[in-house]
Structure formats: structure tokens, C-alpha cells
């Protein structure tokens, strides 16, 4: 087997670089597993009203070749205020179920053309697999042997798996931003214009499918010069990320003009308790809330994460392998019991829905920040998370599995 040399700027880890063929095989296997899971989950119901709106919009585009439908009872409701589909948007051709971020309904309609039953979900599956694959390539830069484990953890062990089974744009946004980060890292190494163009293209794409991607662009623009210690390459990436956010904004407004809809600026609603109080409730909901109902079973997740946190601390202190393994095994047992006994209850807090994320941050050491990839990814994720916390709804993403507005940072 031929092992490719480590690219310039990479820190050779203890493992060897995975061959391209081997990694592509793992990506294909992950795609197959996630696609087969959609057969098990099924498509006979929707998770949220957002899914229904996207599906209705895709069907209108495919069957009527326009964005809106006229009022169903014009004599009673001439203004269309009581259109049957909730939160529809007025457009020139009638009422559109989902006109905001119009690129996503168009992509869903393409999936609908392939298969009305599975096509829309396949769009989400594709986004999740691409996001996981790009995450693995970023991890490879830190240590070559990390690419495949990262691929599978992101694809099957993170909230991206949940999002891959529903008709929402979160996985597409995550894929686009992760690819933008990967291109930025490559530009730091080789200063190729193609990589800089990739940053622009993927940030623009992310901004066209998800509102919070604009926050990710701002985080990227700040993180690039900071992480590179204000090198020219870092400043260039920052400027390009900002330009891409502006391009996404202008393209969306242009498209909405063609459709014939005007969209008011997105302003998250408040609870009336004040901005600080709303930030706290949103933080609790998206980070630490174990469920939406008072259920003793939720304590199983809390106990599992506590056991894993203790295991991480002991591992850093180089405690015995047997003790650490026993703690991790006990945590896994609690999580399995929670899944078997808890039915279909959701877990909104990321600490419980994806404990590997906070535990991975806990395992970091100061020396790890000497690696440009680690530094850039952590700073970008931290700035993005802070921006989402400052602007999200007091209830977080409402019905979700692991902070859906933060999906880009997973």
C-alpha cells in the first residue's frame, strides 16, 4: 500500500494518512448506511411545519411551475390571509408556502422530480454525508488517522444524522460551511486562488440555504486573521468570507424580486423578559435541556455524560485503562437504556444529544492550539456559537435534536 506524503503545513500524527481510495470507500459506506436508515425511518410523516412547507412548495413548483397558488376561497378571503398552509408568503402568483431562501425549495423540487417519496429526504442525506466527509478531511490535517473516525462520528454520532432524515436545509448549510473551512485551510497552506474561490462559493451557497450561515460567514471572517496571526492569507480569507455573505444577501434579494415577494428582516421574537433573560433561556434550551417533558429517564442522559466527563478527566491524568473503560461502558449502558425506555422523546440540549462535542473540547490541551487547523476551527466555531446565542429565539430552535441552529458548527 502506498501512503501519500503529508501535505505541507500539516502536523504528522501518530497514524498514517489514509489513502484516497480507502477514504472514498468509507464515504460511500456512510452514504449507504444513512440512505438505508431513511428506509427504516420512513417518509409517511413530517417532523415539523417547516418540513411541510418545504414539501408543499416543492410540489407547487413541480406540478404548477410557479411559486404561489391563488386563494382557495377568494370571495370570502380575497387577500389570502387565511390560506390553508400556515405562514405562507404572498407572491405575485398567489401564496407561497416557503418563499424565503428560495434555493432550498428548488433543490427539494429536484429531489421531488426524482422521487416524490424519497427525493426530498435524499437532499438532506446528501448534505449530511458531504458535511461528514469534509469534517474527516479537516481532521486528517490534525492527524492523518483521524479522518475515518471523524467521518463516522459526524455522520452517525452527531445531530446531522437526525437532520439527514427530515426535509430541512440544516445539513446543506453544514456541508457548505465545512467545505468553506476546508478550502480556507488549504489556502493558508498553498495560497491557490482556486481554494479562495472555493471559500467564496461555499459561503455564498450556505447563505442561500440557511439564515444562520451569515453568522458563520462573519465568524469565518474574524477567525481567519486571528487564527493565522494576521497573515496576508488570513486577511484575504476574511475579506472573501464577508464578500460572499454580501453576495448571498444580494442574490437572495434578486431572486425574491423575480418571485415577487418582499421579506422583512429576520428579527427573533422575545419573551418579554428582556434580552439577557432570553439569551439565558435560549442557552439552556440548546445546550443543557435534556428533553421537552419532565421525565426521570432524562436523568439517565445526564448521568451518562457526567460519567464520560469523569472518564475524560481521568484519561488526561493517565489513570488506569480499566477504570476509564468501565466508566465509558457504564455511560454507554445508560444511553442505551434511555433510548430503549424513552420512546421517541427528543433531546434538544447538545451536551446530551452529542456529548462527544463538549467532551472533545474538554480533552484539548493548550499545546493543541499550536496547530493552525485546531486553532482556526475552534475560533470559528466559538464565534459562530456566540453569534447564534446572541440572536436566536428564547426557546432555541424549538422542536429539535441538538441545537439545530448550531448545526453548521457540529
Amino acid at each position: 500500500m502506498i501512503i501519500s506524503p503529508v501535505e505541507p503545513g500539516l502536523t504528522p500524527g501518530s497514524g498514517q494518512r489514509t489513502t484516497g481510495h480507502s477514504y472514498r470507500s468509507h464515504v460511500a459506506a456512510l452514504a449507504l448506511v444513512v440512505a438505508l436508515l431513511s428506509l427504516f425511518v420512513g417518509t409517511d410523516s413530517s417532523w415539523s411545519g417547516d418540513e411541510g412547507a418545504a414539501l408543499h412548495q416543492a410540489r407547487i413548483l413541480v406540478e404548477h411551475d410557479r411559486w404561489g397558488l391563488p386563494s382557495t376561497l377568494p370571495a370570502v378571503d380575497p387577500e389570502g390571509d387565511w390560506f390553508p398552509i400556515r405562514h405562507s408568503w404572498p407572491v405575485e402568483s398567489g401564496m407561497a408556502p416557503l418563499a424565503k431562501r428560495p434555493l432550498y425549495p428548488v433543490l427539494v423540487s429536484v429531489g421531488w422530480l426524482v422521487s416524490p417519496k424519497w427525493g426530498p429526504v435524499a437532499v438532506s442525506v446528501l448534505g449530511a454525508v458531504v458535511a461528514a466527509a469534509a469534517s474527516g478531511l479537516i481532521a486528517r490535517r490534525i492527524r492523518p488517522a483521524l479522518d475515518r473516525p471523524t467521518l463516522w462520528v459526524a455522520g452517525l454520532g452527531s445531530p446531522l444524522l437526525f437532520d439527514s432524515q427530515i426535509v430541512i436545509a440544516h445539513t446543506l448549510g453544514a456541508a457548505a460551511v465545512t467545505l468553506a473551512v476546508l478550502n480556507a485551510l488549504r489556502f493558508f497552506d498553498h495560497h491557490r486562488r482556486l481554494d479562495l474561490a472555493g471559500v467564496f462559493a461555499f459561503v455564498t451557497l450556505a447563505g442561500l440555504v440557511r439564515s444562520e450561515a451569515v453568522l458563520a460567514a462573519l465568524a469565518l471572517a474574524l477567525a481567519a486573521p486571528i487564527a493565522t496571526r494576521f497573515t496576508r492569507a488570513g486577511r484575504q480569507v476574511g475579506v472573501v468570507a464577508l464578500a460572499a455573505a454580501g453576495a448571498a444577501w444580494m442574490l437572495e434579494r434578486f431572486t425574491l424580486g423575480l418571485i415577487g415577494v418582499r421579506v422583512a428582516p429576520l428579527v427573533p421574537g422575545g419573551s418579554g423578559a428582556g434580552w439577557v433573560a432570553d439569551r439565558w433561556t435560549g442557552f439552556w434550551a440548546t445546550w443543557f435541556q435534556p428533553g421537552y417533558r419532565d421525565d426521570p429517564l432524562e436523568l439517565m442522559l445526564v448521568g451518562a455524560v457526567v460519567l464520560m466527563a469523569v472518564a475524560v478527566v481521568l484519561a488526561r491524568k493517565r489513570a488506569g485503562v480499566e477504570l476509564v473503560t468501565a466508566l465509558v461502558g457504564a455511560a454507554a449502558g445508560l444511553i442505551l437504556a434511555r433510548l430503549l425506555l424513552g420512546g421517541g422523546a427528543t433531546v434538544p440540549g447538545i451536551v446530551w444529544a452529542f456529548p462527544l462535542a463538549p467532551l472533545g473540547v474538554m480533552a484539548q490541551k493548550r499545546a493543541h492550539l499550536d496547530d493552525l487547523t485546531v486553532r482556526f476551527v475552534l475560533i470559528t466555531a466559538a464565534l459562530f456559537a456566540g453569534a447564534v446565542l446572541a440572536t436566536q429565539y428564547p426557546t432555541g430552535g424549538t422542536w429539535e435534536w441538538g441545537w439545530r441552529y448550531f448545526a453548521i458548527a457540529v
Side-chain angles (χ1 to χ4, degrees):
M1 180 176 67
I2 300 176
I3 305 298
S4 303
V6 176
E7 294 178 5
L10 302 190
T11 302
S14 58
Q16 292 178 314
R17 172 181 292 279
T18 305
T19 62
H21 175 74
S22 174
Y23 188 69
R24 288 193 294 270
S25 298
H26 278 262
V27 173
L30 174 65
L32 179 61
V33 170
V34 178
L36 290 176
L37 181 62
S38 68
L39 299 178
F40 173 77
V41 173
T43 59
D44 56 348
S45 63
S46 61
W47 173 256
S48 72
D50 292 343
E51 278 192 280
L55 291 169
H56 279 299
Q57 188 64 70
R59 183 171 184 173
I60 293 172
L61 288 171
V62 171
E63 296 183 355
H64 300 276
D65 195 25
R66 60 185 182 184
W67 280 88
L69 290 178
S71 174
T72 53
L73 293 171
V76 178
D77 182 27
E79 301 297 328
D81 294 333
W82 297 97
F83 194 71
I85 302 174
R86 187 168 176 257
H87 295 321
S88 293
W89 298 72
V91 297
E92 289 183 353
S93 55
M95 297 295 290
L98 185 62
K100 180 186 169 187
R101 306 289 174 193
L103 177 60
Y104 179 63
V106 170
L107 295 175
V108 174
S109 70
V110 173
W112 184 286
L113 284 171
V114 176
S115 170
K117 187 175 181 62
W118 302 106
V121 177
V123 175
S124 297
V125 169
L126 176 64
V129 173
V130 172
S135 298
L137 293 177
I138 292 175
R140 177 187 293 179
R141 299 174 54 87
I142 301 170
R143 182 177 298 175
L146 289 177
D147 55 359
R148 287 174 292 181
T150 301
L151 166 75
W152 287 101
V153 167
L156 293 184
S158 80
L160 287 178
L161 177 64
F162 178 87
D163 292 340
S164 72
Q165 303 302 307
I166 55 181
V167 186
I168 57 175
H170 296 68
T171 63
L172 294 178
V177 171
T178 308
L179 287 170
V181 170
L182 180 61
N183 275 266
L185 289 166
R186 288 174 173 171
F187 180 74
F188 295 155
D189 286 341
H190 307 295
H191 307 284
R192 294 179 299 209
R193 292 183 179 178
L194 182 61
D195 295 324
L196 199 59
V199 175
F200 181 86
F202 288 121
V203 170
T204 302
L205 174 60
L208 290 173
V209 295
R210 287 301 307 168
S211 299
E212 65 270 16
V214 176
L215 301 179
L218 298 177
L220 195 64
L222 290 173
I226 294 173
T228 59
R229 298 185 171 93
F230 297 95
T231 63
R232 180 181 179 184
R235 296 195 302 271
Q236 286 177 311
V237 168
V239 171
V240 167
L242 288 177
W249 185 85
M250 289 188 292
L251 281 172
E252 185 192 17
R253 264 52 190 176
F254 174 75
T255 307
L256 292 174
L258 294 178
I259 297 171
V261 61
R262 292 183 178 181
V263 180
L266 177 64
V267 179
S271 65
W275 186 85
V276 174
D278 287 345
R279 295 315 100 207
W280 167 251
T281 56
F283 171 70
W284 173 262
T286 53
W287 286 69
F288 294 106
Q289 187 173 333
Y292 293 108
R293 61 191 186 191
D294 294 329
D295 190 339
L297 293 176
E298 294 172 354
L299 295 177
M300 289 185 174
L301 287 178
V302 178
V305 175
V306 169
L307 288 175
M308 286 190 284
V310 173
V312 169
V313 172
L314 293 177
R316 292 191 62 175
K317 295 181 178 297
R318 303 188 182 281
V321 175
E322 295 81 3
L323 177 58
V324 173
T325 303
L327 289 171
V328 173
L334 285 174
I335 292 174
L336 180 60
R338 167 65 175 77
L339 291 175
L340 293 175
L341 299 174
T346 55
V347 182
I350 190 64
V351 170
W352 323 119
F354 187 29
L356 289 178
L359 293 174
V361 174
M362 283 180 56
Q364 297 300 309
K365 298 179 180 179
R366 185 179 296 274
H368 293 160
L369 294 177
D370 293 334
D371 187 292
L372 173 58
T373 300
V374 174
R375 195 164 61 245
F376 181 52
V377 170
L378 285 179
I379 294 174
T380 302
L383 290 173
F384 172 69
V388 173
L389 285 172
T391 56
Q392 69 175 345
Y393 298 101
T395 53
T398 61
W399 206 244
E400 60 186 338
W401 186 285
W403 68 353
R404 66 188 179 101
Y405 293 149
F406 297 81
I408 286 172
V410 165

